[in-house]
Amino acid sequence: MLIAFEGGEGSGKGTQICLLQEVLESKGLKVLSIIEPGGTEVGKAIRNILLDRKDLDLLGITEAFLFSASRAQQVRTVTRPALEEGKIVLSDRSFYSTYAYQGYGRKQPISILKKMTELAVGETKPDLVFLLDLPPEIGLARKKSQNQINRLDAEAMEFHQRVRAGYLTLAKKDAKKWRVIDAAKPPEQIHSEILFALEPVLFPN
Ligand code: TYD
């Protein structure tokens, strides 16, 4: 099973993935956590271009190709093998980030991003998506206080607002797959909500 965590900057995806991995492993389940972009050697090199190279004047479409390229490599070399071994894969971001950031944020046509995604991931799509929803002002303030501002974080507030609204639109369109969680709540409470939502999926009956 592939479970993706999505959300804007500083929404606490990483913390939740850590907490969840611990619980699932304590129940004897095999879990792999992955991160996008990254996860492979080429993915790390692409990540560096995307997040740190403020000098390159990347176009929205180029950004989308690079995120998709990192994803194509990771899906084939990391994600699919883990799923085939029966592991639960917890993914910090997925192609839905491309729809939210490059689609709604950078205004690239979603139809093009969907084609790109088909080529990158094929049938390997999340079974469930948790959206950790948070006003961008709060998330960005969290990141600033940790001194972790990357090239995309540095975009205007309107960009981050479009990303948030985009995520909420995606979640609404596919409510069966998405669970929207209020990420302003304390981490322990968010963790309980995630476990509660996963219970019927992981342990039916
Ligand atoms: P990262 O430092 O991993 O941030 P976060 O902890 O918020 O996930 O940076 C990833 C950045 O890349 C983040 O700003 C979201 C952005 N991104 C896209 O724009 N498109 C994508 O397809 C992905 C996977 C990430």
Side-chain angles (χ1 to χ4, degrees), residues 27-105:
K27 290 181 192 279
L29 297 166
K30 284 197 217 154
V31 181
L32 176 74
S33 295
I34 59 174
I35 187 163
E36 285 200 20
T40 62
E41 287 309 310
V42 69
K44 284 178 203 156
I46 294 173
R47 180 182 174 88
N48 170 260
I49 295 175
L50 282 163
L51 300 188
D52 301 331
R53 295 291 303 272
K54 298 185 177 133
D55 55 318
L56 291 178
D57 270 336
L58 288 179
L59 299 177
I61 187 78
T62 315
E63 245 181 45
F65 272 119
L66 288 173
F67 280 114
S68 301
S70 165
R71 187 167 298 133
Q73 180 87 9
Q74 190 173 34
V75 159
R76 287 161 181 75
T77 61
V78 180
T79 316
R80 278 184 200 151
L83 291 171
E84 276 157 22
E85 282 171 34
K87 290 187 178 152
I88 296 175
V89 179
L90 306 178
S91 185
D92 190 336
R93 300 196 177 278
S94 69
F95 60 82
Y96 290 116
S97 287
T98 302
Y99 296 176
Y101 283 79
Q102 283 65 51
Y104 291 93

Side-chain angles (χ1 to χ4, degrees), residues 1-4 20 24 29 88 90 126-130 175-179 193-205:
M1 171 167 306
L2 176 56
I3 304 171
L20 181 59
L24 297 180
L29 297 166
I88 296 175
L90 306 178
D127 299 288
L128 198 63
V129 186
F130 285 103
K176 259 194 183 167
K177 188 177 273 199
W178 289 68
R179 303 286 180 277
E193 288 182 25
I194 289 174
L195 282 182
F196 185 74
L198 270 179
E199 193 78 29
V201 182
L202 288 180
F203 309 104
N205 303 317

